[in-house]
Amino acid sequence: MIPQLGGLLSALLGAAILYYGGHLALAGGSVFYVIMALGLLASGFQLMRRRQSGLWIYALTLALSFIWTLYEVGFDKWQWIPRGALIVFLGLLLALPFVVNKLRDAPEKRWSLSLSNGPLFLRAVVAIIAVLGAAAWFVDPVQKQGELTPVADAADATVDPSGVPYPADDWVAYGGTNLGQRYSALSDINTGNVKNLKVAWEHHTGDLRKADEDSGEYTFEATPIKVNGLLYFCTPHNIVQALRPETGELVWSYDPQMARDPQYQHQTCRGVSYNDSTGYTAPMGGDPIQEQAVAAAVAECPRRIIAASVDARLYAMNADTGALCTTFGDNGFVDLKAQMPNLKRATYQQTSAPLVTADLIVLGSAIADNYYENNPSGVIRAFDVRTGSIVWKFDAGAPDDTTPLAPGEEYVANSAVAWTQFSADEGLGLVYIPFGNRSPDQVGITRSAEDEDLVDALAALDLATGQMVWRFQTTRHDLWDRDLPSQPVLITLPREGEMVPSILVPTKVGNIWVLDRRTGEPVLPVSEMEVSTETDIPNEDLSPTQPMSSVNFTPAPLTEADMWGTTPFDQIQCRLAFRSNRYDGNPFTPPTTTGSIVWPGNIGVFNWGSIAVDPVNHWMIATPQYLGYTYKLFPRPEGELDKRMFSAGGAGGESRPGNENLGGPYAVQIKHMRSALGVPCNTPPWGVRVGVNLADGTTAWKYRNGTVAGQKIAGIKFPIPFEMGMLAHGGTLTTAGGVAFTGAALDDIIRGYDMRTGETLWQTALPAGGQATPMTYRGEDGKQYVVIAAGGHGSLGTTPGDSVIAYTLE
């Protein structure tokens, strides 16, 4: 009876694989699953007859499957899983004595070396696969081992060549400074002692998501700043809190009473900013009335915290007490929606920390993607940091006129948006604006040539006037949501015997643009990629080429063999998805009405977490990520342009109204390429960590980053922490101690890495997802602390919470 049961299992498995594999073969995909299925069926038939030839056929099928696996994916153990794990496991069961002994024609000499000895042949094949599997455990084709070379006397540097001091005792801005380097000159915590880090304190903000009132993408992504003897940060409801840096004790808290709405596309607050006006001196010959207002503002709030809210208000608090600065704007607030066109529910938001210089606040906006065809303006505005009065504007729809609007005027509707963190070189007098797209993201038929100029461009603006000094466009005629999502990083690099003030611009495509920040000219080489201009969208004018940087982490083109899954069935489903959607073999396959693969997807190789650098050694530490998506455009019926075509949130899974592009000619369906069991269709790693020498653009080391512990397969959390390389949605901290810290991977762990080698030196579990960027400082007790916000990410499904945690040495 036991052989018959084994044979039935083999036959059923073969029949199921034949059904799915047949569909794949008919779609032009691999025919091997059909061959595998026929072998399993034949084996099952013979085993149900209790014939040892069933084991011989099974062994041959298993051997051929393993050879095919090696041919397709080599010694990548994680890619072996969907191709062979299930049939190897069943083969192991069939080779056991309780099956073999019940066969009618079991061989008398059970260890005779004969091909007719089915049990021995099967056991030999299983043993060989097991041995090779054990060997493959120590082989990783993704991994690159190497070392970054330090610059002599690097540890002695305390000031950037631009004149900005490196953060040490304090962390004065979102990225450490307005250079955005995420680097600290502190070295108390170093590669030798980081293993001794322990929790110093944990603060609970008390700000948690309410299901009926808040967005599904409710995230705690804040990076605190440490200045003025306190630690400042904001929560997802824009509550600003100040803590004692040594103990985590709450000093003050201010709640702006943010208007809650479950329709917000992104409900987060990534940081606050600081201004010290205690030494302010009025310029000679200024407006007496204005100077009187400034004097009153300074008297009320000599040191202030500046924040912007999801419901689009800019506000200022006394940094010492948390009291609202009533002399700022209108009783403490500036309404950022004023004079905005096309205002609709939950379309205009603020999610990033305002950039604050000595005299100005500069900020853009986060406009909901694909809710409506016509959106508010993406205008960039500069406000007086003390009074909140507008100083200049830069609107991509009217870039030559930076004069503030007159009463009754409106900003240019639907102009290109810059939603992420800005950077500035106050010595050069420039602020750097990373622009994204204009609505709609995936359809460009209504854009003019003027509209296109600043789409996905980095623009350098004059800090004093807002006038554009130069621009560099990273994607032409963007149809893929290739926003510049990351804070640009300012660093001085050696190049042909000269130290060049440079700017690094990470992109969703995976490019790291390295430009001269004075002129926008490339510092490292740029090439052109030829791409297809064929599309089924009338009047869509695609660019025949796209620029690519010599420093890039753009993934290799997808193939059918790159499709993944945990079983043959969901892998075949992913292979079918690959075959049934258009894919041109590059990141610029245009969206179509039949479906297209966008690889890498719109979450990007890099996103708002940006990159971190060691500006002294000229190193870059980054966590590229890789997920594929499918886009499909749906023409709207004429005369029903405002009718929703999808169920609420169904077009891509974002908050309502999804990706409807209400009022436009096309809705867009955006889907993460996942198998039926909920795992990504592209093979792991889905995230890596890399160390790059920026002097020449070479990658010294590369590792998978993060484990799959806690990820869901068919709705069940996977318990084993296999380090397959996970999405890392958040940022990295670098230090003069040679340790980089990140907690962004989806396994709720914060790690410390050796920056030279990429080796993990320390890790510990977080109470919630760490989709934020760590920072560091020295307390008045002389200790160095590393701090991260751990509150999870609603869309990514990490553990929710409300913790701010500090670590220090024992």
Side-chain angles (χ1 to χ4, degrees):
M1 185 66 187
I2 294 178
Q4 291 97 320
L5 179 59
L8 179 62
L9 289 175
S10 179
L12 289 174
L13 180 59
I17 291 176
L18 181 62
Y19 176 80
Y20 290 103
H23 280 79
L24 177 61
L26 291 173
S30 173
V31 299
F32 190 83
Y33 275 116
V34 173
I35 298 171
M36 178 192 292
L38 293 175
L40 293 171
L41 282 167
S43 171
F45 178 75
Q46 288 298 91
L47 285 172
M48 284 188 284
R49 296 179 62 229
R50 294 171 58 197
R51 300 295 184 182
Q52 70 155 331
S53 59
L55 298 184
W56 189 92
I57 297 171
Y58 198 100
L60 181 61
T61 303
L62 190 55
L64 290 175
S65 297
F66 188 65
I67 292 169
W68 168 69
T69 295
L70 291 177
Y71 169 76
E72 276 209 324
V73 300
F75 266 72
D76 187 342
K77 56 184 174 291
W78 302 120
Q79 295 201 61
W80 290 7
I81 291 173
R83 292 165 173 84
L86 198 56
I87 61 173
V88 168
F89 178 71
L90 181 56
L92 177 63
L93 293 179
L94 295 176
L96 293 176
F98 67 82
V99 176
V100 173
N101 293 340
K102 299 295 183 180
L103 294 171
R104 289 179 179 176
D105 58 348
E108 293 182 7
K109 296 181 180 180
R110 297 185 180 180
W111 298 102
S112 63
L113 298 177
S114 170
L115 287 178
S116 63
N117 190 336
L120 181 61
F121 190 22
L122 178 57
R123 288 166 180 165
V125 171
V126 170
I128 290 170
I129 293 174
V131 170
L132 291 175
W137 196 259
F138 300 97
V139 176
D140 190 346
V142 170
Q143 180 176 297
K144 179 179 182 179
Q145 292 182 319
E147 287 194 16
L148 291 166
T149 303
V151 173
D153 301 323
D156 298 332
T158 59
V159 178
D160 188 84
S162 66
V164 177
Y166 295 130
D169 291 356
D170 284 349
W171 188 269
V172 300
Y174 173 81
T177 66
N178 283 341
L179 303 180
Q181 296 170 342
R182 294 166 184 76
Y183 170 81
S184 170
L186 291 178
S187 59
D188 299 8
I189 299 170
N190 54 55
T191 56
N193 61 22
V194 65
K195 63 181 180 293
N196 298 321
L197 280 181
K198 300 293 181 184
V199 174
W201 51 259
E202 180 176 357
H203 167 74
H204 290 280
T205 68
D207 189 17
L208 295 168
R209 179 177 181 267
K210 292 186 178 180
D212 297 333
E213 299 179 10
D214 293 319
S215 167
E217 187 164 300
Y218 180 94
T219 63
F220 193 15
E221 297 172 340
T223 298
I225 60 174
K226 190 263 185 178
V227 66
N228 191 39
L230 294 174
L231 198 69
Y232 303 96
F233 63 92
C234 54
T235 72
H237 286 112
N238 298 112
I239 300 169
V240 179
Q241 295 187 338
L243 309 180
R244 295 284 178 208
E246 301 78 18
T247 64
E249 173 192 358
L250 181 65
V251 177
W252 58 257
S253 179
Y254 177 76
D255 185 351
Q257 299 296 314
M258 184 201 91
R260 301 190 181 198
D261 193 329
Q263 192 164 303
Y264 288 133
Q265 194 169 60
H266 309 286
Q267 186 172 335
T268 192
C269 180
R270 297 192 180 103
V272 299
S273 300
Y274 175 78
N275 171 263
D276 187 342
S277 292
T278 53
Y280 174 77
T281 302
M284 298 294 293
D287 182 344
I289 297 176
Q290 174 68 14
E291 287 309 319
Q292 186 177 5
V294 171
V298 171
E300 181 188 26
C301 294
R303 290 168 292 274
R304 59 190 56 213
I305 296 296
I306 305 295
S309 62
V310 174
D311 61 359
R313 292 176 295 161
L314 180 68
Y315 54 111
M317 295 138 286
N318 186 303
D320 298 323
T321 66
L324 198 64
C325 300
T326 58
T327 48
F328 182 85
D330 182 4
N331 201 33
F333 291 91
V334 172
D335 180 7
L336 298 173
K337 294 180 181 178
Q339 298 178 277
M340 273 289 162
N342 296 333
L343 281 174
K344 299 181 179 68
R345 177 183 170 191
T347 56
Y348 189 82
Q349 305 167 224
Q350 295 290 330
T351 56
S352 296
L355 179 87
V356 170
T357 67
D359 298 303
L360 295 177
I361 303 165
V362 185
L363 78 168
S365 57
I367 292 174
D369 287 331
N370 300 330
Y371 278 19
Y372 298 93
E373 169 81 357
N374 294 306
N375 274 329
S377 176
V379 63
I380 311 301
R381 286 172 284 185
F383 298 90
D384 185 289
V385 73
R386 300 169 187 92
T387 66
S389 59
I390 189 166
V391 177
W392 53 257
K393 64 169 174 49
F394 180 86
D395 197 323
D400 297 328
D401 183 5
T402 63
T403 306
L405 292 182
E409 294 181 333
E410 287 188 337
Y411 298 106
V412 178
N414 215 30
S415 51
V417 174
W419 56 266
T420 194
Q421 196 69 36
F422 302 162
S423 300
D425 184 332
E426 295 181 64
L428 290 177
L430 296 176
V431 58
Y432 300 96
I433 312 297
F435 276 100
N437 212 338
R438 71 183 292 277
S439 181
D441 287 335
Q442 288 78 24
V443 182
I445 58 178
T446 61
R447 300 178 200 163
S448 67
E450 291 75 18
D451 289 333
E452 296 278 19
D453 279 348
L454 283 161
V455 165
D456 297 352
L458 180 73
L461 307 184
D462 185 296
L463 259 174
T465 66
Q467 292 289 335
M468 184 164 63
V469 178
W470 58 258
R471 70 176 180 89
F472 181 89
Q473 192 162 45
T474 63
T475 304
R476 303 186 186 105
H477 195 70
D478 180 13
L479 301 177
W480 306 274
D481 191 14
R482 301 299 195 194
D483 298 348
L484 294 186
S486 304
Q487 181 179 24
V489 178
L490 279 56
I491 184 173
T492 302
L493 295 175
R495 186 66 174 166
E496 298 177 352
E498 179 188 359
M499 297 302 290
V500 179
S502 304
I503 185 167
L504 309 182
V505 189
T507 72
K508 289 184 178 181
V509 173
N511 285 310
I512 304 285
W513 298 102
V514 186
L515 310 175
D516 187 322
R517 67 177 182 261
R518 298 166 297 187
T519 64
E521 293 298 316
V523 173
L524 294 179
V526 174
S527 62
E528 292 288 329
M529 173 186 287
E530 292 187 4
V531 297
S532 174
T533 58
E534 294 183 9
T535 176
D536 62 355
I537 306 301
N539 302 315
E540 192 71 271
D541 186 18
L542 284 89
S543 171
T545 62
Q546 292 289 350
M548 295 294 292
S549 171
S550 60
V551 181
N552 75 77
F553 292 92
T554 304
L558 281 177
T559 66
E560 184 192 315
D562 293 321
M563 295 298 99
W564 202 69
T566 55
T567 69
F569 307 112
D570 60 330
Q571 196 219 23
I572 291 172
Q573 179 225 346
C574 286
R575 286 177 179 252
L576 282 167
F578 178 81
R579 288 289 173 184
S580 61
N581 287 280
R582 175 177 168 177
Y583 177 59
D584 295 348
N586 62 60
F588 304 103
T589 303
T592 62
T593 57
T594 57
S596 300
I597 293 174
V598 178
W599 169 252
N602 65 337
I603 197 170
V605 176
F606 299 104
N607 207 286
W608 60 266
S610 193
I611 57 175
V613 298
D614 180 330
V616 182
N617 288 306
H618 312 133
W619 298 344
M620 179 184 82
I621 311 297
T623 55
Q625 53 193 5
Y626 304 107
L627 289 176
Y629 283 73
T630 58
Y631 290 3
K632 187 174 183 179
L633 298 176
F634 290 82
R636 290 188 171 279
E638 190 173 350
E640 294 183 340
L641 296 184
D642 289 326
K643 182 177 180 180
R644 293 186 181 179
M645 302 182 68
F646 307 109
S647 60
E654 293 179 328
S655 302
R656 298 173 207 154
N659 293 284
E660 296 282 353
N661 287 325
L662 295 175
Y666 293 91
V668 59
Q669 187 178 65
I670 301 174
K671 289 185 176 180
H672 177 204
M673 284 186 71
R674 288 183 177 270
S675 77
L677 296 180
V679 300
C681 278
N682 59 286
T683 192
W686 304 298
V688 296
R689 60 182 184 273
V690 295
V692 177
N693 181 352
L694 290 169
D696 58 13
T698 58
T699 298
W701 53 258
K702 178 182 177 182
Y703 292 91
R704 297 174 189 263
N705 188 50
T707 73
V708 295
Q711 299 307 297
K712 290 183 178 180
I713 300 177
I716 301 172
K717 286 191 175 183
F718 191 76
I720 306 174
F722 288 137
E723 192 162 2
M724 297 170 69
M726 285 304 299
L727 186 77
H729 209 54
T732 299
L733 163 70
T734 52
T735 68
V739 184
F741 295 91
T742 181
L746 304 190
D747 53 6
D748 298 353
I749 291 174
I750 184 172
R751 296 174 171 88
Y753 304 116
D754 187 322
M755 290 163 55
R756 288 185 63 174
T757 67
E759 176 189 1
T760 301
L761 302 176
W762 169 81
Q763 65 179 46
T764 190
L766 293 166
Q771 282 66 62
T773 304
M775 51 79 72
T776 189
Y777 58 88
R778 191 191 306 281
E780 290 186 1
D781 55 6
K783 294 181 180 180
Q784 181 183 353
Y785 294 82
V786 174
V787 172
I788 188 170
H793 192 290
S795 294
L796 298 178
T798 54
T799 306
D802 67 339
S803 294
V804 179
I805 307 174
Y807 302 90
T808 194
L809 296 172
E810 289 184 306

